[in-house]
Structures are given as C-alpha cells and as structure tokens.
Amino acid sequence: MCLGIPGQITAISDAGRKLAMVDVSGVKREVNIACIIGDRAIEDCIGDWVLVHVGFAMSVIDEAQAAETLRILIELGEAQQEIAAMRTSGRA
Amino acid sequence: MTKQEPLSTLRPQRKIRDGIHVAKVSLAHGGGGKAMRDLIDDVFVQAFDNPALAPLEDQARFALSDLARHGDRLAFTSDSFVVDPLEFPGGDIGKLAICGTVNDLAVGGAKPLYLSCSVIIEEGVDVAFLRKIAASMAKTAAAAGVAIVTGDTKVVTKGACDKLFINTAGIGIIRSGMDLGAHRAEPGDAVLVNGLLGDHGAAILAARGDLRLTTAIESDCAPLNGLIDALIEACPQVKFMRDATRGGLATVLNEIAEASGIGIEIEERKTPLREEVKGFCEILGLDPLYLANEGKIVAVVPGHLAEVARAAMAAHPLGRDSAIIGHVLQGPAGRVVMQTHFGGKRIVDMLVGEQLPRIC
Amino acid sequence: MQYVDEFRDPDKAASLIAAINELIQKLAISRDKPLHIMEVCGGHTHAIFRYGISNMLPPEIEFVHGPGCPVCVLPMGRVDDCVAIAETPGVIFTTFGDAMRVPGSKKSLLQAKADGADIRMVYSPLDALALARDNPDREVVFFGLGFETTAPSTAFTVLQAEAEGLTNFSLFCNHITIIPTMRAILQSPELRIDGFLGPGHVSMVIGTKVYEFIAAHYKKPLVVAGFEPLDVLQSVWLVLKQIAEGRAEIENQYGRIVPPDGNKAALAAITRVFETRDFFEWRGLGSIEHSGVRMREAYVRFDAERKFAIPSLQVEDPKACECGEVLKGLIKPWQCKVFGTTCTPQTPLGALMVSSEGACAAYYQYGDLEGLRDRRAADAA
C-alpha cells in the first residue's frame, strides 16, 4: 500500500503553502513539505532526499541508515564467501 | 516528387479559388460549398501538394504497373487518431497520423507509398492550428517518402468531437518473397526492439497536465520504414515485426506468444528504458512495459541472426539503442515471462484495461 | 535512481537467499508445513510479484497477502456513495486512479464517468484543491482513501482549504487505520501466520512502537519492511532469524525512512482533522471496530458525507467470495471457487481481484509461477 518514491528537493516554490519542487530521475513535481520541515527554516529543506507519497514529502531519508542497511548485506555476502571458500579448501 | 510538378502548373485545370480568410473553422466549412473548397484548398491541398492529389477527383488513381515495380502484393491499412492533447513534446496529431499508418504498412514488409487523410474538425478550431497540423503531416510524409493523395474534410458542431480527429489509410507494396506473421515465431528465435521504450506514453500522460508532472520526455513518434528497410536488407529472414503502440511491448509479446503457440522470455536488464521514464513510472505506479510507443518495433528473427539484425537497426538513427531483449521458448504456450534484473521471474500478461496511475 | 537502484542489487539478493535457505535448513521446516509470513501491505504484495520474489524463495516459505490494500477493501456501499456524489449536478469528483475500477453494486467510477459524471483522476489531493480554486462555481469533492500514509495528505489539504477560505471543496473520507485491522486478523481463531512484514510507509507516519502488542501479546515477530526487493528479502530473513532464535520482536528494517516515533507533524494533522469511527465496513472482512476515521465536527463544512445526501447503504459482499479466507491465509487465491471464472480482473467480484495490489489480481496478472504450476497439477488430478 501507499506508493512512495525517493526524490530530492530542488527549490521552494511557495513558502506560504509549504510547497517545494522535488526531482525524481528528472521528473519534477510540486509537493507539500509540511511533514518534514520540523524546526528548520523552510529553505534548509533544499537538497533533502525525501520520500514522496501522493504529492507530500512524508519522511527525510536517513543516509546513514540507508548505508547501514547496505553494509549489513555486504557483510552477509562476504561471510558467505568465506564459508564457501573454507568449504572448498576443506574438501581439497 | 512535388518539386517537378509544382501546384501552380496543375492549378489551371481547376478554377482558381480564394484562400480562407477567417480565423476559425465554422459549420459552413463542412457544408460542401465554396467555404469548404476554400478550406480544403488553402489548408490541406497547399500543404500536401502533389500531382495525384491536385486534380481533386473523388479518388486518387495509380497505374498498376508503377505499383508492381515494388513487389507482388498490396498492403492496405487504416488508423484513426484522437490523441489528447493534439500537440505534445516530440510531435502532434498530424505527425502521429502519418507515422502510425506508415509504420503499420512497413512492419508488414511493405514499402509505404500513398496515404489518405480524412479530418473531422470541431467547429471553432483555429484555421492557423489546422495549417500547422497540415504542415506537420506534409513534413512527416516527405520524411517517410510517402504522398498524401486523397482525403476528406468534415466539420461537426461544438462538442461532437474533441477539436480534431484524423483518419489516415495507407497503401504499400509488399516485397516479393516477404511473409511476416505473428504465427511464425519458433523456439530459438530472438526478440528485438529498436530502442528506449515508453517515451510516447509517458510524454502524453505528462502533456495532459492533470498529473502536474514536468518532464523532458518526448514522444518517440517517427516513421520507421527507413529503419525497417535497413533491417530487412541485413536480415531478410526476419519473421515478424509489429510497432509497439497502445498496450506497449507487453501486449505485442503476448500477441506473438499466442499466435505462434510458444513462450517468450525477456530480460529486464536488457530492456531499454530511459531513466526519466523509469522515474515517471515509479511516481505513478505504472509499468513501462505497457506504455505506448510510436517509434518502436518488436522484431522476431532467427536466433543466429539476432546480432546481425541488432547491428543493422543500431546503425540507423532511429535504432541507436536497439537491443536483443529475449528469446522464444518451446513453452508454456502463450506465456510471456520476464527474468527480473533482481533475479526472479514474473509473468508479463495482457492488461485488462487502460493502465491507471495508482497510490497503493 | 538514488535510494532505489542500490536496493535492487541482484548480488545482494543472492546472499540473502543463501542466508534464508540456511535458516530454513536449520529450522528443519518441511515443505508440507511451510512457514506463513503475512505481508500486511499491498505494496509488498506488488513488489513480491513485480520482482518475482516468491519464486526466488524456497518453497518452505509462503507469503500470505494481507489486507493492506485500501482500494481492495473498500466496500461496495462506499463506491455507491461515491457514484451518487459524482453524479450530483455541479460536482467535480476527484479520485486516485486506483479507485476508478472498484465495482459498486451498480457501477464503478469509471462507468459513472462514461455515463457523463465529471470524474477526474488526480495524483494528489493538492490537485483536487487546485481544481476547487480554478472552478469556484463548482463543488470539488476529493475521494480520500488509504491508511495512515495517505490520511495526513488529505488532512493537510483540508487544513489548506480552511486557511484559504475555500467553500467549494470537500473530502469524502474513507481513511482506515492499520492497528485495529491487524488486531482483528490476529484475533481470528483459525489464523496460521508465523510472522509479519510490517507496512513500511504506514510506519513512517505511526512509528514502530504501536506494534509492540503483536510481539508481547500474540508472540509473533514483525519486521517493518521497505518496498524495494532487497528490503522485502532482508525482512523475510529477519523474521526467520527471530523464529530460529526463538524471539518475537518488533524490528525495523526500513530505518532509512521509518523513525521509531513516526512523523509528529503528520500525526498532529490526522488528529486535528479526523476522529475514530465506531465501526468501519471492509470488503471481505466485514465490520471492524475503530478501523476507520471520519472528519471532526470542526471541519463539517469540508465533509462530503454531510454535505451531500448519500445513500450510505450497506451492500453485502457476493456470497461466493472467499476473500476473507484468503486474507487470513486459510486458502490460496486459486483455491477460491470463483477465482478466474466468475471473478477476474475484468469483472471482479471480490476485494482481492479489484486492484493490482490485491492478492488475487496479482496472481491473475503477474502469476505466481510455482503456485500456478501447483494449481494446474491440482486441476489435472
């Protein structure tokens, strides 16, 4: 449920209505950013990667968390390779 | 061809008429009288200017001997164009009306020669706009090497049609020995496309404006007879071609699988898509395999000739991103499967209806 | 695409599949008694089919496709109400594309449009608001549906309409809430589910703590999962790890998007505009207590439910429908009597055939290769 897609805020288009332009792979759309401004000045949102759902930015993507998820998967792969290598050398 | 016999040399055959002096088309322009003749002459005949059309008989006439020079069978097709909006990035209804019919002839192995052009105009349409569309048709026809030789004009009351509908029919001659068909795919054959998919569908959806998405995506609308000539020359053993218009790649693949009683497996990794089209589809929850194209063909060739065919298409400006996207399998009959880039497999079925943007 | 492509990497998928297989062996799961993992959310169902995930996984794992498709679970009576509003003279009825095909007792919105109603598909409720601004002489109604992911967007839209003093905009509120729905499923005595993939985008609004009762009371593992295929696989692996280690916890795989406390601004907007209904009717599941919201008294002038005379009739699901059984994981879509015969995507009878997120429509459209093979074998026998 709830299709959401990452995009980057490129400009504030209407500060009063809390609207900003978001870029998704070159496709641009005006979205409401009321949910992600927090205590910041609205201009500080420019450059944020956000998750967009039905024209609303609903969450700022946490870069460190994204990297952490990928790191776990890379380690998992490496661990498997080591085990496989150990098995091969054990057999040899 | 138009250069040798300019309209001026033919005009004296008929009474010289006034041009059209009003800004908008009215019902009078469809009434069969002088106003109608003026509209036809001034807007369409001027633009399409060619010897077969100029006499304005009720039919265009050709010598059979001329036709027979190109092959041994006649191909005849018809298509109606109701695109909304009438103008869009990469084209307009006029260009589309020529490309659509030219491509429908060319994918049958025919050399497209002559087109008809029938227009249904809603009263109130700007004459200047009609001129623009007629010019676009003329330019596209010249690029495709075809002549618009007959036509018809109707004007309907406000609301009876959406500004402008165009029907084009086309005649082409099929090369001797060519026998293309969706039923001819066999296990081991390769499936190719001539470039990036989904551009037209995405461009049209964006151009309608109601989704308020801005993109640089342009329609791929183009006459493909030149590219198809190159393909046939390099690979006369080609078994089937179809332009992947409404319903997109997925629909054509299903039609082949069904008609030939074979299975098809394509690879997501090799299926050419523009980043913007991917983004566009992600935002709206659409599947690019079902988006319309107006300048893309699907071709089936024997497996050992796949690379020859790809290289021939890739050498043409309209085929730079040509790719071998999959293969024909024994079965399951009628089934199209996609090997996803991620490593899984999924069935690519026919769509039930129009693809609608979704939120969930 | 950043934050997308890296979560579709086939090499990492292969490592996860290997890790999952290892756990399956360790757990000694038999193929006759596979583990049942429910993906609550229709978005996950879609990802599972789109990327062919279920046939990458060993047969010892079966997905049970949950109720998290707000379009699918919309009861016929509510669609009838939409049609009645849309056919009111002067109305521009706006909706997400998904809802256009959902059958009512007489017609869908797509059919009502063909019959002449002014129904427009929009990408965002903001676009409906723009239509209201541009058409001051028309009444623009937005069909609000969805779980907590979507509810903030319509709440903010109503607040914006209020701020601009628009009088020709209203919301037909059909928002539903996830927790009561999951509770209803968990309370079902015949339930056979070993763990859950939690809805990632709902959770970015409501957070992860609200699921604690599932681990504490029902002793089921739940992993809040993202929607890219690696997210789904990693979440399956995390559920299996919990089972293997004898744990039942709430974990968050989708940390890049989902904060533990959710989104304060979004929750505040929901609370400001909406209040809980006593009951809300679901297609396939019946009436569920506190599972829907309606607009508060303070926003009555934006409430289409009160602005229009709507029939508000309860229309029963077709008797032959077994959507409820499918949703609870008791039967597979193709085991339903009407699957693919009287119930197809062209003529859907049940909730799950309605939207491409619905389990039955997904099976019909994308096909589950293994499942369909089994089905053919069963048919042949």
Side-chain angles (χ1 to χ4, degrees), chain A residues 3-33:
Chain A
L3 196 72
I5 183 79
Q8 191 170 29
I9 296 178
T10 56
I12 304 300
S13 51
D14 183 339
R17 288 181 177 143
K18 296 181 181 162
L19 299 175
M21 293 309 293
V22 163
D23 184 300
V24 178
S25 279
V27 182
K28 293 179 182 63
R29 160 83 206 194
E30 189 174 59
V31 304
N32 181 299
I33 58 169

PDB file of all heavy atoms in Angstrom, chain A residues 3-33:
ATOM      1  N   LEU A   3       2.194   3.842  -2.271  1.00  0.00           N
ATOM      2  CA  LEU A   3       3.333   4.028  -3.144  1.00  0.00           C
ATOM      3  C   LEU A   3       4.139   5.241  -2.709  1.00  0.00           C
ATOM      4  O   LEU A   3       3.605   6.330  -2.586  1.00  0.00           O
ATOM      5  CB  LEU A   3       2.772   4.261  -4.546  1.00  0.00           C
ATOM      6  CG  LEU A   3       3.710   4.122  -5.709  1.00  0.00           C
ATOM      7  CD1 LEU A   3       4.037   2.660  -5.916  1.00  0.00           C
ATOM      8  CD2 LEU A   3       3.051   4.684  -6.948  1.00  0.00           C
ATOM      9  N   GLY A   4       5.416   5.042  -2.472  1.00  0.00           N
ATOM     10  CA  GLY A   4       6.269   6.155  -2.094  1.00  0.00           C
ATOM     11  C   GLY A   4       7.563   6.062  -2.869  1.00  0.00           C
ATOM     12  O   GLY A   4       8.036   4.958  -3.156  1.00  0.00           O
ATOM     13  N   ILE A   5       8.125   7.215  -3.220  1.00  0.00           N
ATOM     14  CA  ILE A   5       9.297   7.183  -4.076  1.00  0.00           C
ATOM     15  C   ILE A   5      10.273   8.274  -3.636  1.00  0.00           C
ATOM     16  O   ILE A   5       9.866   9.383  -3.318  1.00  0.00           O
ATOM     17  CB  ILE A   5       8.871   7.308  -5.558  1.00  0.00           C
ATOM     18  CG1 ILE A   5      10.066   7.213  -6.496  1.00  0.00           C
ATOM     19  CG2 ILE A   5       8.071   8.557  -5.825  1.00  0.00           C
ATOM     20  CD1 ILE A   5      10.506   5.806  -6.712  1.00  0.00           C
ATOM     21  N   PRO A   6      11.590   7.927  -3.580  1.00  0.00           N
ATOM     22  CA  PRO A   6      12.563   8.933  -3.165  1.00  0.00           C
ATOM     23  C   PRO A   6      12.765  10.019  -4.216  1.00  0.00           C
ATOM     24  O   PRO A   6      12.801   9.737  -5.415  1.00  0.00           O
ATOM     25  CB  PRO A   6      13.863   8.134  -3.009  1.00  0.00           C
ATOM     26  CG  PRO A   6      13.461   6.708  -2.996  1.00  0.00           C
ATOM     27  CD  PRO A   6      12.210   6.612  -3.780  1.00  0.00           C
ATOM     28  N   GLY A   7      12.865  11.238  -3.764  1.00  0.00           N
ATOM     29  CA  GLY A   7      13.150  12.350  -4.662  1.00  0.00           C
ATOM     30  C   GLY A   7      13.915  13.410  -3.886  1.00  0.00           C
ATOM     31  O   GLY A   7      13.984  13.366  -2.648  1.00  0.00           O
ATOM     32  N   GLN A   8      14.493  14.350  -4.624  1.00  0.00           N
ATOM     33  CA  GLN A   8      15.295  15.379  -3.960  1.00  0.00           C
ATOM     34  C   GLN A   8      14.642  16.749  -4.116  1.00  0.00           C
ATOM     35  O   GLN A   8      14.205  17.120  -5.206  1.00  0.00           O
ATOM     36  CB  GLN A   8      16.702  15.405  -4.566  1.00  0.00           C
ATOM     37  CG  GLN A   8      17.657  16.266  -3.750  1.00  0.00           C
ATOM     38  CD  GLN A   8      19.095  16.114  -4.203  1.00  0.00           C
ATOM     39  OE1 GLN A   8      19.359  15.827  -5.373  1.00  0.00           O
ATOM     40  NE2 GLN A   8      20.031  16.298  -3.291  1.00  0.00           N
ATOM     41  N   ILE A   9      14.584  17.488  -3.001  1.00  0.00           N
ATOM     42  CA  ILE A   9      14.002  18.828  -3.031  1.00  0.00           C
ATOM     43  C   ILE A   9      14.990  19.769  -3.720  1.00  0.00           C
ATOM     44  O   ILE A   9      16.154  19.857  -3.322  1.00  0.00           O
ATOM     45  CB  ILE A   9      13.677  19.323  -1.611  1.00  0.00           C
ATOM     46  CG1 ILE A   9      12.604  18.408  -0.993  1.00  0.00           C
ATOM     47  CG2 ILE A   9      13.196  20.779  -1.627  1.00  0.00           C
ATOM     48  CD1 ILE A   9      12.215  18.760   0.427  1.00  0.00           C
ATOM     49  N   THR A  10      14.521  20.455  -4.766  1.00  0.00           N
ATOM     50  CA  THR A  10      15.423  21.311  -5.542  1.00  0.00           C
ATOM     51  C   THR A  10      15.149  22.795  -5.308  1.00  0.00           C
ATOM     52  O   THR A  10      16.022  23.624  -5.528  1.00  0.00           O
ATOM     53  CB  THR A  10      15.287  21.031  -7.049  1.00  0.00           C
ATOM     54  OG1 THR A  10      13.919  21.202  -7.416  1.00  0.00           O
ATOM     55  CG2 THR A  10      15.722  19.625  -7.389  1.00  0.00           C
ATOM     56  N   ALA A  11      13.930  23.139  -4.892  1.00  0.00           N
ATOM     57  CA  ALA A  11      13.596  24.557  -4.708  1.00  0.00           C
ATOM     58  C   ALA A  11      12.328  24.670  -3.874  1.00  0.00           C
ATOM     59  O   ALA A  11      11.534  23.736  -3.816  1.00  0.00           O
ATOM     60  CB  ALA A  11      13.373  25.218  -6.062  1.00  0.00           C
ATOM     61  N   ILE A  12      12.187  25.809  -3.214  1.00  0.00           N
ATOM     62  CA  ILE A  12      10.920  26.095  -2.524  1.00  0.00           C
ATOM     63  C   ILE A  12      10.075  26.894  -3.513  1.00  0.00           C
ATOM     64  O   ILE A  12      10.508  27.927  -4.028  1.00  0.00           O
ATOM     65  CB  ILE A  12      11.167  26.925  -1.246  1.00  0.00           C
ATOM     66  CG1 ILE A  12      12.149  26.212  -0.320  1.00  0.00           C
ATOM     67  CG2 ILE A  12       9.839  27.231  -0.543  1.00  0.00           C
ATOM     68  CD1 ILE A  12      11.722  24.842   0.167  1.00  0.00           C
ATOM     69  N   SER A  13       8.863  26.404  -3.804  1.00  0.00           N
ATOM     70  CA  SER A  13       8.064  27.078  -4.827  1.00  0.00           C
ATOM     71  C   SER A  13       7.018  28.004  -4.217  1.00  0.00           C
ATOM     72  O   SER A  13       6.585  28.959  -4.850  1.00  0.00           O
ATOM     73  CB  SER A  13       7.400  26.044  -5.731  1.00  0.00           C
ATOM     74  OG  SER A  13       6.733  25.073  -4.961  1.00  0.00           O
ATOM     75  N   ASP A  14       6.576  27.724  -2.984  1.00  0.00           N
ATOM     76  CA  ASP A  14       5.546  28.541  -2.354  1.00  0.00           C
ATOM     77  C   ASP A  14       5.699  28.366  -0.839  1.00  0.00           C
ATOM     78  O   ASP A  14       5.167  27.421  -0.251  1.00  0.00           O
ATOM     79  CB  ASP A  14       4.163  28.069  -2.848  1.00  0.00           C
ATOM     80  CG  ASP A  14       3.013  28.919  -2.302  1.00  0.00           C
ATOM     81  OD1 ASP A  14       3.205  29.604  -1.264  1.00  0.00           O
ATOM     82  OD2 ASP A  14       1.920  28.887  -2.901  1.00  0.00           O
ATOM     83  N   ALA A  15       6.467  29.279  -0.235  1.00  0.00           N
ATOM     84  CA  ALA A  15       6.790  29.128   1.185  1.00  0.00           C
ATOM     85  C   ALA A  15       5.525  29.178   2.033  1.00  0.00           C
ATOM     86  O   ALA A  15       5.395  28.442   3.018  1.00  0.00           O
ATOM     87  CB  ALA A  15       7.763  30.224   1.611  1.00  0.00           C
ATOM     88  N   GLY A  16       4.569  30.028   1.664  1.00  0.00           N
ATOM     89  CA  GLY A  16       3.333  30.168   2.433  1.00  0.00           C
ATOM     90  C   GLY A  16       2.560  28.862   2.517  1.00  0.00           C
ATOM     91  O   GLY A  16       2.091  28.468   3.583  1.00  0.00           O
ATOM     92  N   ARG A  17       2.446  28.195   1.390  1.00  0.00           N
ATOM     93  CA  ARG A  17       1.709  26.926   1.357  1.00  0.00           C
ATOM     94  C   ARG A  17       2.616  25.733   1.631  1.00  0.00           C
ATOM     95  O   ARG A  17       2.202  24.582   1.481  1.00  0.00           O
ATOM     96  CB  ARG A  17       1.016  26.755   0.009  1.00  0.00           C
ATOM     97  CG  ARG A  17      -0.173  27.685  -0.193  1.00  0.00           C
ATOM     98  CD  ARG A  17      -0.804  27.437  -1.545  1.00  0.00           C
ATOM     99  NE  ARG A  17      -1.981  28.266  -1.749  1.00  0.00           N
ATOM    100  CZ  ARG A  17      -2.329  28.807  -2.908  1.00  0.00           C
ATOM    101  NH1 ARG A  17      -1.592  28.591  -3.972  1.00  0.00           N
ATOM    102  NH2 ARG A  17      -3.423  29.539  -3.017  1.00  0.00           N
ATOM    103  N   LYS A  18       3.880  25.980   1.956  1.00  0.00           N
ATOM    104  CA  LYS A  18       4.860  24.925   2.240  1.00  0.00           C
ATOM    105  C   LYS A  18       5.008  23.971   1.046  1.00  0.00           C
ATOM    106  O   LYS A  18       4.945  22.751   1.197  1.00  0.00           O
ATOM    107  CB  LYS A  18       4.483  24.162   3.508  1.00  0.00           C
ATOM    108  CG  LYS A  18       4.524  25.068   4.727  1.00  0.00           C
ATOM    109  CD  LYS A  18       4.180  24.318   5.983  1.00  0.00           C
ATOM    110  CE  LYS A  18       4.218  25.267   7.170  1.00  0.00           C
ATOM    111  NZ  LYS A  18       3.527  24.764   8.339  1.00  0.00           N
ATOM    112  N   LEU A  19       5.163  24.565  -0.131  1.00  0.00           N
ATOM    113  CA  LEU A  19       5.311  23.754  -1.338  1.00  0.00           C
ATOM    114  C   LEU A  19       6.739  23.861  -1.867  1.00  0.00           C
ATOM    115  O   LEU A  19       7.344  24.929  -1.828  1.00  0.00           O
ATOM    116  CB  LEU A  19       4.335  24.214  -2.416  1.00  0.00           C
ATOM    117  CG  LEU A  19       2.842  24.104  -2.063  1.00  0.00           C
ATOM    118  CD1 LEU A  19       1.986  24.710  -3.173  1.00  0.00           C
ATOM    119  CD2 LEU A  19       2.444  22.653  -1.813  1.00  0.00           C
ATOM    120  N   ALA A  20       7.236  22.722  -2.351  1.00  0.00           N
ATOM    121  CA  ALA A  20       8.598  22.679  -2.887  1.00  0.00           C
ATOM    122  C   ALA A  20       8.618  21.830  -4.143  1.00  0.00           C
ATOM    123  O   ALA A  20       7.741  20.986  -4.353  1.00  0.00           O
ATOM    124  CB  ALA A  20       9.545  22.084  -1.845  1.00  0.00           C
ATOM    125  N   MET A  21       9.638  22.052  -4.987  1.00  0.00           N
ATOM    126  CA  MET A  21       9.804  21.213  -6.173  1.00  0.00           C
ATOM    127  C   MET A  21      10.682  20.021  -5.807  1.00  0.00           C
ATOM    128  O   MET A  21      11.722  20.170  -5.170  1.00  0.00           O
ATOM    129  CB  MET A  21      10.474  21.996  -7.311  1.00  0.00           C
ATOM    130  CG  MET A  21       9.641  23.131  -7.885  1.00  0.00           C
ATOM    131  SD  MET A  21       7.957  22.690  -8.357  1.00  0.00           S
ATOM    132  CE  MET A  21       8.277  21.585  -9.733  1.00  0.00           C
ATOM    133  N   VAL A  22      10.226  18.836  -6.237  1.00  0.00           N
ATOM    134  CA  VAL A  22      11.001  17.628  -5.999  1.00  0.00           C
ATOM    135  C   VAL A  22      11.358  17.020  -7.342  1.00  0.00           C
ATOM    136  O   VAL A  22      10.555  17.032  -8.274  1.00  0.00           O
ATOM    137  CB  VAL A  22      10.198  16.630  -5.138  1.00  0.00           C
ATOM    138  CG1 VAL A  22      10.786  15.232  -5.233  1.00  0.00           C
ATOM    139  CG2 VAL A  22      10.185  17.074  -3.683  1.00  0.00           C
ATOM    140  N   ASP A  23      12.576  16.501  -7.423  1.00  0.00           N
ATOM    141  CA  ASP A  23      13.061  15.882  -8.649  1.00  0.00           C
ATOM    142  C   ASP A  23      13.195  14.372  -8.440  1.00  0.00           C
ATOM    143  O   ASP A  23      13.867  13.931  -7.515  1.00  0.00           O
ATOM    144  CB  ASP A  23      14.429  16.493  -9.011  1.00  0.00           C
ATOM    145  CG  ASP A  23      14.957  15.967 -10.326  1.00  0.00           C
ATOM    146  OD1 ASP A  23      15.151  14.746 -10.426  1.00  0.00           O
ATOM    147  OD2 ASP A  23      15.188  16.777 -11.248  1.00  0.00           O
ATOM    148  N   VAL A  24      12.515  13.605  -9.284  1.00  0.00           N
ATOM    149  CA  VAL A  24      12.645  12.151  -9.269  1.00  0.00           C
ATOM    150  C   VAL A  24      13.158  11.727 -10.638  1.00  0.00           C
ATOM    151  O   VAL A  24      12.410  11.762 -11.615  1.00  0.00           O
ATOM    152  CB  VAL A  24      11.287  11.467  -8.988  1.00  0.00           C
ATOM    153  CG1 VAL A  24      11.433   9.949  -9.027  1.00  0.00           C
ATOM    154  CG2 VAL A  24      10.697  11.910  -7.664  1.00  0.00           C
ATOM    155  N   SER A  25      14.430  11.399 -10.734  1.00  0.00           N
ATOM    156  CA  SER A  25      15.017  10.982 -12.019  1.00  0.00           C
ATOM    157  C   SER A  25      14.694  11.935 -13.159  1.00  0.00           C
ATOM    158  O   SER A  25      14.372  11.505 -14.266  1.00  0.00           O
ATOM    159  CB  SER A  25      14.507   9.594 -12.405  1.00  0.00           C
ATOM    160  OG  SER A  25      15.214   8.630 -11.736  1.00  0.00           O
ATOM    161  N   GLY A  26      14.731  13.218 -12.886  1.00  0.00           N
ATOM    162  CA  GLY A  26      14.481  14.189 -13.955  1.00  0.00           C
ATOM    163  C   GLY A  26      13.020  14.588 -14.099  1.00  0.00           C
ATOM    164  O   GLY A  26      12.700  15.520 -14.831  1.00  0.00           O
ATOM    165  N   VAL A  27      12.115  13.871 -13.435  1.00  0.00           N
ATOM    166  CA  VAL A  27      10.702  14.242 -13.458  1.00  0.00           C
ATOM    167  C   VAL A  27      10.447  15.162 -12.264  1.00  0.00           C
ATOM    168  O   VAL A  27      10.869  14.848 -11.148  1.00  0.00           O
ATOM    169  CB  VAL A  27       9.790  12.994 -13.365  1.00  0.00           C
ATOM    170  CG1 VAL A  27       8.327  13.387 -13.449  1.00  0.00           C
ATOM    171  CG2 VAL A  27      10.141  12.011 -14.471  1.00  0.00           C
ATOM    172  N   LYS A  28       9.800  16.293 -12.524  1.00  0.00           N
ATOM    173  CA  LYS A  28       9.615  17.264 -11.446  1.00  0.00           C
ATOM    174  C   LYS A  28       8.148  17.412 -11.077  1.00  0.00           C
ATOM    175  O   LYS A  28       7.271  17.367 -11.932  1.00  0.00           O
ATOM    176  CB  LYS A  28      10.186  18.618 -11.876  1.00  0.00           C
ATOM    177  CG  LYS A  28      11.691  18.570 -12.020  1.00  0.00           C
ATOM    178  CD  LYS A  28      12.275  19.887 -12.463  1.00  0.00           C
ATOM    179  CE  LYS A  28      13.780  19.753 -12.646  1.00  0.00           C
ATOM    180  NZ  LYS A  28      14.139  18.786 -13.720  1.00  0.00           N
ATOM    181  N   ARG A  29       7.937  17.613  -9.769  1.00  0.00           N
ATOM    182  CA  ARG A  29       6.580  17.744  -9.287  1.00  0.00           C
ATOM    183  C   ARG A  29       6.621  18.648  -8.046  1.00  0.00           C
ATOM    184  O   ARG A  29       7.555  18.584  -7.245  1.00  0.00           O
ATOM    185  CB  ARG A  29       6.046  16.352  -8.941  1.00  0.00           C
ATOM    186  CG  ARG A  29       4.867  16.287  -8.004  1.00  0.00           C
ATOM    187  CD  ARG A  29       3.521  16.499  -8.696  1.00  0.00           C
ATOM    188  NE  ARG A  29       2.555  17.021  -7.742  1.00  0.00           N
ATOM    189  CZ  ARG A  29       1.252  17.079  -7.917  1.00  0.00           C
ATOM    190  NH1 ARG A  29       0.725  16.627  -9.028  1.00  0.00           N
ATOM    191  NH2 ARG A  29       0.464  17.592  -7.010  1.00  0.00           N
ATOM    192  N   GLU A  30       5.587  19.470  -7.921  1.00  0.00           N
ATOM    193  CA  GLU A  30       5.467  20.301  -6.724  1.00  0.00           C
ATOM    194  C   GLU A  30       4.855  19.448  -5.615  1.00  0.00           C
ATOM    195  O   GLU A  30       3.854  18.769  -5.833  1.00  0.00           O
ATOM    196  CB  GLU A  30       4.572  21.503  -7.016  1.00  0.00           C
ATOM    197  CG  GLU A  30       4.557  22.525  -5.907  1.00  0.00           C
ATOM    198  CD  GLU A  30       3.770  23.781  -6.310  1.00  0.00           C
ATOM    199  OE1 GLU A  30       2.575  23.655  -6.622  1.00  0.00           O
ATOM    200  OE2 GLU A  30       4.371  24.874  -6.293  1.00  0.00           O
ATOM    201  N   VAL A  31       5.488  19.455  -4.434  1.00  0.00           N
ATOM    202  CA  VAL A  31       4.956  18.662  -3.326  1.00  0.00           C
ATOM    203  C   VAL A  31       4.873  19.520  -2.062  1.00  0.00           C
ATOM    204  O   VAL A  31       5.588  20.509  -1.910  1.00  0.00           O
ATOM    205  CB  VAL A  31       5.823  17.410  -3.024  1.00  0.00           C
ATOM    206  CG1 VAL A  31       5.986  16.545  -4.260  1.00  0.00           C
ATOM    207  CG2 VAL A  31       7.163  17.783  -2.451  1.00  0.00           C
ATOM    208  N   ASN A  32       3.995  19.098  -1.172  1.00  0.00           N
ATOM    209  CA  ASN A  32       3.859  19.743   0.132  1.00  0.00           C
ATOM    210  C   ASN A  32       4.912  19.154   1.072  1.00  0.00           C
ATOM    211  O   ASN A  32       5.086  17.928   1.133  1.00  0.00           O
ATOM    212  CB  ASN A  32       2.443  19.474   0.650  1.00  0.00           C
ATOM    213  CG  ASN A  32       2.185  20.110   1.997  1.00  0.00           C
ATOM    214  OD1 ASN A  32       2.861  19.786   2.969  1.00  0.00           O
ATOM    215  ND2 ASN A  32       1.203  20.983   2.069  1.00  0.00           N
ATOM    216  N   ILE A  33       5.615  20.026   1.809  1.00  0.00           N
ATOM    217  CA  ILE A  33       6.682  19.516   2.679  1.00  0.00           C
ATOM    218  C   ILE A  33       6.408  19.789   4.163  1.00  0.00           C
ATOM    219  O   ILE A  33       7.322  19.748   4.989  1.00  0.00           O
ATOM    220  CB  ILE A  33       8.076  20.075   2.263  1.00  0.00           C
ATOM    221  CG1 ILE A  33       8.082  21.611   2.290  1.00  0.00           C
ATOM    222  CG2 ILE A  33       8.468  19.582   0.885  1.00  0.00           C
ATOM    223  CD1 ILE A  33       9.496  22.192   2.162  1.00  0.00           C
TER     224      ILE A  33
END
